[in-house]
Amino acid sequence: MHPDVQSPALSSAEALRTFREFAQSTLLGHDAEFDSGAEPPLELYRPLHKLGLMNWWLPTEYGGAGLSLADSVDIVSELAYADAGSAFTLLISILGSSMVQLYGSQELKERYLTAMTREPGYASALGSERAAGSELINLTTTLTRRGDDVVLNGEKMFSTNSGFADYLVVFAKSAGAKGVASYHAVLVPRGTPGVEVVKRWDMIGLRSAGTYQVEFTDCAVPSANVLDGPGLKIIEVGLNSSRILIGAIALGVARRIRDLCLEYAIAKPLAGHKLIENAVFAGKIGQMEMQIEVMRNQCLAAARDYDEVMAMPDPAREFLQRGALRSALTAKMFCGQTGWQIATVGSEMFGGLGYTNDMPISKYLRDIRAVTIVEAGDDVLRELVFRRFVLPSDRRI
Ligand SMILES: Cc1cc2nc3c(=O)[nH]c(=O)nc-3n(C[C@H](O)[C@H](O)[C@H](O)COP(=O)(O)OP(=O)(O)OC[C@H]3O[C@@H](n4cnc5c(N)ncnc54)[C@H](O)[C@@H]3O)c2cc1C
């Protein structure tokens, strides 16, 4: 726990209770404001910093709360229940910070991870380009060595939090080089000359989050800011934690949709009764509950796999060998697809009203839509699962 932060370290159960109270008291019930597309409401999240729970996954040695990824599943679900865009803003820093934690030098870790707990800090990861989203091997941002520096040039299409993050983890390819060793992950601190935020995207969902297009022009940082390892493997490893937590966004939104359906059914008259007494309605909600239960279990199973590797003597090396965890890939895919099914059933539940903006279901539909798109679409992940985990090892490429 950082000395500026007053609260003592919380247990997992206390932390979850605190997040639930925060989500219910600060976020819940403000759907229209969050959906307006206004600037990300970062001030709203400050109380989490005071409680020592901003970037809650960071280890205690860097001033963090040291909560596990398994703890994070229910935390993100509670946040997303109230607002998926806020949950996305708060969790996505784990992608950048986990790569620095695993593959950054001791100096980078002490400087940039500790800064994220001293002030309410954010990180951003910049992989996607115009012709390289799912397939980062096609990226064209270049890295050139110049004396003790590396210099970045190129454009990154989508990156969440990059408009205000304390540091960016940028993926680039050594100019003129070939092979996996030519891809690098580079930490670029905020304020470095040569970084320009071109625009904030007008996304259809997760509208309280900020996703930006960023350009690099002769952006020089010390060579010591290059993370240690092959860039494409580093991002594959980093995506394990964020994919699981993006799955947990679908879980939280699905729980909210279930509860909205219940609230509606209690009041809705139907053939002399109320909708809640109807057997077809009961079947729909029973089905949702089964799906929600399995979504949570899959996220937890994947998070435990991740925590198990992180507890090993050399998690960075172990992860380089394992790459993407099967359970993390399937958690994101399963939650995205199942969440979308739940959102579809939910939107039909309210009849014509469900097709209006008077009901928040339209926001939940649009929010949940992102889960099967960000951090590689399902077509790409299905193929990855097939190639890595289904094909016999002697046929893998
Ligand atoms: C809200 C949001 C936040 C984001 N935040 C970030 C971020 O912080 N950092 C970052 O780097 N990126 C971010 N992204 C980008 C995101 O990760 C990419 O959009 C995503 O990986 C898909 O890549 P793409 O846009 O290039 O689409 P493509 O991969 O080009 O997909 C377009 C179409 O091609 C199909 N396709 C692609 N490859 C294959 C294949 N091998 N086989 C069959 N079909 C295929 C897809 O299924 C799809 O139908 C964000 C995107 C969104 C929407």
Side-chain angles (χ1 to χ4, degrees):
M1 188 67 41
H2 196 274
D4 296 350
V5 173
Q6 297 304 312
S7 323
L10 298 176
S11 69
S12 303
E14 288 166 334
L16 179 59
R17 197 166 45 246
T18 308
F19 272 104
R20 186 177 299 130
E21 282 164 12
F22 166 79
Q24 304 266 326
S25 63
T26 310
L27 307 179
L28 193 65
H30 300 281
D31 283 328
E33 288 155 55
F34 289 129
D35 208 26
S36 69
E39 287 302 308
L42 304 184
E43 279 305 310
L44 276 187
Y45 312 141
R46 257 186 187 273
L48 289 177
H49 171 64
K50 295 234 163 64
L51 293 161
L53 289 174
M54 190 84 186
N55 303 311
W56 60 87
W57 57 86
L58 285 173
T60 48
E61 61 190 292
Y62 305 115
L67 293 168
S68 68
L69 205 69
D71 294 329
S72 308
V73 168
D74 285 330
I75 289 172
V76 169
S77 171
E78 288 299 334
L79 293 169
Y81 183 95
D83 178 48
S86 297
F88 191 46
T89 305
L90 289 164
L91 79 83
I92 200 65
S93 296
I94 200 173
L95 172 55
S97 74
S98 65
M99 293 187 286
V100 174
Q101 186 185 335
L102 287 166
Y103 303 106
S105 65
Q106 196 53 34
E107 196 190 326
L108 285 184
K109 287 191 262 198
E110 273 162 23
R111 187 155 171 200
Y112 291 99
L113 300 184
T114 308
M116 291 175 80
T117 60
R118 195 176 298 130
E119 289 296 323
Y122 296 87
S124 179
L126 294 83
S128 308
E129 297 180 6
R130 209 169 284 274
S134 305
E135 296 189 309
L136 289 178
I137 199 158
N138 297 328
L139 64 81
T140 57
T141 296
T142 57
L143 175 152
T144 315
R145 299 206 179 259
R146 192 174 65 196
D148 291 339
D149 287 346
V150 293
V151 181
L152 300 174
N153 278 288
E155 190 179 65
K156 293 292 180 183
M157 188 79 156
F158 300 115
S159 49
T160 302
N161 288 2
S162 53
F164 48 83
D166 301 279
Y167 62 89
L168 317 175
V169 178
V170 184
F171 291 84
K173 192 170 185 298
S174 286
K178 287 203 170 89
V180 285
S182 59
Y183 295 87
H184 306 279
V186 185
L187 188 152
V188 177
R190 182 163 67 204
T192 305
V195 182
E196 187 199 346
V197 175
V198 178
K199 69 169 182 179
R200 177 179 174 214
W201 289 97
D202 188 9
M203 293 289 177
I204 65 163
L206 304 175
R207 286 172 62 77
S208 59
T211 298
Y212 305 85
Q213 187 175 343
V214 179
E215 196 167 311
F216 296 87
T217 310
D218 291 331
C219 169
V221 295
S223 300
N225 285 23
V226 180
L227 305 191
D228 183 20
L232 294 183
K233 205 67 181 180
I234 289 179
I235 193 159
E236 191 178 317
V237 170
L239 289 166
N240 280 321
S241 56
S242 50
R243 280 182 177 144
I244 296 166
L245 297 187
I246 288 171
I249 289 186
L251 170 64
V253 178
R255 290 173 46 237
R256 180 77 196 100
I257 292 171
R258 174 203 60 197
D259 290 355
L260 189 69
C261 290
L262 271 182
E263 284 163 32
Y264 173 76
I266 289 168
K268 165 77 178 168
L270 187 80
H273 296 271
K274 290 283 163 58
L275 179 59
I276 197 161
E277 298 164 65
N278 183 281
V280 174
F281 174 80
K284 283 182 180 170
I285 299 300
Q287 173 78 6
M288 271 187 199
E289 196 57 24
M290 176 272 287
Q291 291 171 311
I292 287 169
E293 173 86 355
V294 181
M295 286 162 84
R296 179 169 181 267
N297 286 341
Q298 181 56 30
C299 288
L300 283 174
R304 288 182 188 125
D305 285 348
Y306 180 88
D307 289 335
E308 196 180 295
V309 178
M310 288 302 274
M312 289 179 176
D314 190 349
R317 215 172 108 176
E318 183 67 28
F319 262 133
L320 280 186
Q321 276 162 14
R322 296 195 192 196
L325 296 174
R326 171 161 54 182
S327 54
L329 298 172
T330 53
K332 185 173 105 66
M333 283 197 282
F334 184 78
C335 289
Q337 293 170 24
T338 311
W340 182 245
Q341 284 170 19
I342 290 174
T344 306
V345 173
S347 77
E348 287 169 0
M349 186 72 71
F350 312 103
L353 263 184
Y355 202 61
T356 69
N357 282 321
D358 285 24
M359 293 295 288
I361 188 72
S362 111
K363 173 181 185 292
Y364 307 152
L365 261 171
R366 288 179 282 106
D367 285 346
I368 226 166
R369 179 69 277 183
V371 175
T372 52
I373 296 174
V374 299
E375 300 201 345
D378 275 10
D379 285 332
V380 174
L381 295 188
R382 273 188 281 263
E383 197 197 336
L384 183 60
V385 167
F386 173 72
R387 278 197 281 109
R388 290 275 174 88
F389 304 110
V390 182
L391 265 184
S393 51
D394 59 341
R395 305 198 63 162
R396 283 179 199 159
I397 34 171

